[in-house]
Structure formats: C-alpha cells, structure tokens
Amino acid sequence: MKPVITAFESSPDRGQGLARDMRVRWALEEVGQPYDVRLVSFSEMKQAAHLRLHPFGQIPTYEEGDLALFESGAIIFHLAHRHAGLLPEDANARARAIVWMFAALSTIEPPIVELEQSEYVDGDKPWYKERLPMLEDRIRVRLGELSNRLGDADWLDRAFSAGDLMMVMVLRRLEGTGLVEEYPNLSAYVERGKARPAYQRAFADQLAVFTSKSEKNR
Ligand SMILES: N[C@@H](CCC(=O)N[C@@H](CS)C(=O)NCC(=O)O)C(=O)O
C-alpha cells in the first residue's frame, strides 16, 4: 500500500523545496518507497478533515493504511524504522544517528525559525533591524559548534543517516542569508546532501507541483 503525504498546493517558497514535505519526500526516496501526494490549500489545512490528521493544521502529514502521522521528525523516524537505509544497523550507531535528528530539530532549527519568523512578524517594527544581528549571532554560535563537530567528515556520524537528512534540510532554511557560507565545511556538507540522487528526485517532484501550477495560471 502506497503511503500518502500532504504538501502545499501552493508553496510560499515557489518550489525551492523549503517546506517540510521535502524532508519526508527525500526520506521516502532514500528508502525507495513509492508514495502519493495530496496537495492542500491553506484554507483546507485549517478545516476539520485535515485537522483530524494534523491537530495544528499544517503539512506534512503521512497516512499509511489506518496509521496517520504528523511532525516531519516523527514521520522520518517511522520510515527509518520500517525500512533499511536511513539508520545504521548497529544499536549504538543507530542511537547516535537519532541524536542528530533531535539535534537538528530541537537545537539547530529553533533559532533559524526565530530569524525567519521575526521578518514576517516584526519586519515592520522600528526595532526589527536592531534585533537582527542578535538573532543571527545566536545562529552563528550553533553553526560554529556544528562546524567544529563535523570537521572534515562527510557526515555527522560516519555513514549518511536520517540525522544528516534532517540537518541538511534544517541548514537549507538559511539559504539566502549567507550564514552557512561562513562555515565552508557546513556549506560543503549541505551540497553533499543535495547531490544525493534521492534528494534530487524529491526536489524535482516538489518543484513539479510549483511549475505545473504556474503553467496552468499562464
Ligand atoms: N514541527 C512541524 C512543523 C510543520 C510546519 O511548520 N509546517 C509548515 C510548512 S513547512 C506549515 O504547514 N505552515 C502553515 C501553517 O502553519 O499554517 C514539522 O516538522 O512537521
């Protein structure tokens, strides 16, 4: 049975693959699991049918038979348990890879999301520009620490894992800020992730949603 995920019908990032369905698509491609996508509009996400799947009215969701999941981290964790290819077999290496998934979501992503949101929420406030360097410096602290840990390795803990998938996707949220580029090893790490064939298939699929919609609107 093919799982079904949800994604934005009209992604605000115009096909850049920054919405969180991209992580799930990438994980599905890494493990070779075919899937279907149900596109949802912003208003549909807030209606009862979608809220039954996702209590916060967001994407992505994941349905597989009578199992319905939300939270990109939990979905990828589920896929990594069900299929080979995203977590190492060795129990300790597996536990360490899971640490990196959590680190991406709970240590690296929050200050990045705070920077993004400050622009939407406070971009018009007189103090917005004064606060910006502080928010960027908070991110730099984490990037510096991550860069030190990665060193000249290809991946965070030897073989590529769901931890790297999540970290690469979280770091991608900084595209356009120049922050990741201040750490050449992190920049190369993100590019290494993006070069994976599974990433490229996932990226092309989510981009096709945007391009087919733009063609229809011509
Ligand atoms: N922690 C959630 C975050 C989900 C999330 O923020 N989704 C965004 C798209 S990337 C969304 O649906 N935004 C629309 C909204 O919140 O109304 C996850 O990782 O799945």
Side-chain angles (χ1 to χ4, degrees), residues 8 19-20 23 42 45-46 58-60 71-72:
F8 284 137
R20 288 171 177 84
R23 310 166 174 189
F42 271 86
M45 286 192 310
K46 310 299 172 195
Q58 296 181 314
I59 59 102
E71 285 297 336
S72 58

Side-chain angles (χ1 to χ4, degrees), residues 22-168:
M22 174 62 201
R23 310 166 174 189
V24 175
R25 291 173 184 268
W26 183 8
L28 284 157
E29 291 289 349
E30 287 285 348
V31 302
Q33 170 64 57
Y35 61 100
D36 287 324
V37 182
R38 190 170 63 251
L39 300 175
V40 288
S41 66
F42 271 86
S43 71
E44 279 164 347
M45 286 192 310
K46 310 299 172 195
Q47 287 164 20
H50 189 76
L51 288 170
R52 272 196 290 278
L53 295 174
H54 196 310
F56 311 121
Q58 296 181 314
I59 59 102
T61 59
Y62 175 94
E63 291 157 83
E64 180 195 293
D66 56 8
L67 175 69
L69 301 175
F70 58 96
E71 285 297 336
S72 58
I75 297 168
I76 292 169
F77 194 45
H78 169 75
L79 291 171
H81 275 291
R82 287 277 166 99
H83 304 267
L86 282 174
L87 287 174
E89 289 294 316
D90 173 75
N92 285 358
R94 198 175 178 88
R96 289 196 306 269
I98 293 166
V99 166
W100 283 115
M101 285 185 72
F102 277 89
L105 292 174
S106 63
T107 301
I108 306 290
E109 191 168 44
I112 295 176
V113 169
E114 200 178 341
L115 176 70
E116 279 169 6
Q117 289 191 340
S118 74
E119 192 184 346
Y120 303 132
V121 178
D122 299 320
D124 58 345
K125 308 281 181 353
W127 39 261
Y128 166 69
K129 285 217 164 73
E130 276 171 50
R131 200 165 167 256
L132 215 48
M134 181 275 286
L135 294 175
E136 289 176 347
D137 281 347
R138 261 198 220 156
I139 296 172
R140 281 191 184 95
V141 169
R142 291 294 179 235
L143 295 185
E145 290 159 342
L146 185 66
S147 164
N148 287 341
R149 173 52 82 98
L150 180 66
D152 58 8
D154 280 354
W155 306 114
L156 287 164
D157 197 275
R158 284 168 252 179
F160 173 82
S161 77
D164 295 296
L165 184 153
M166 199 57 94
M167 193 63 85
V168 166

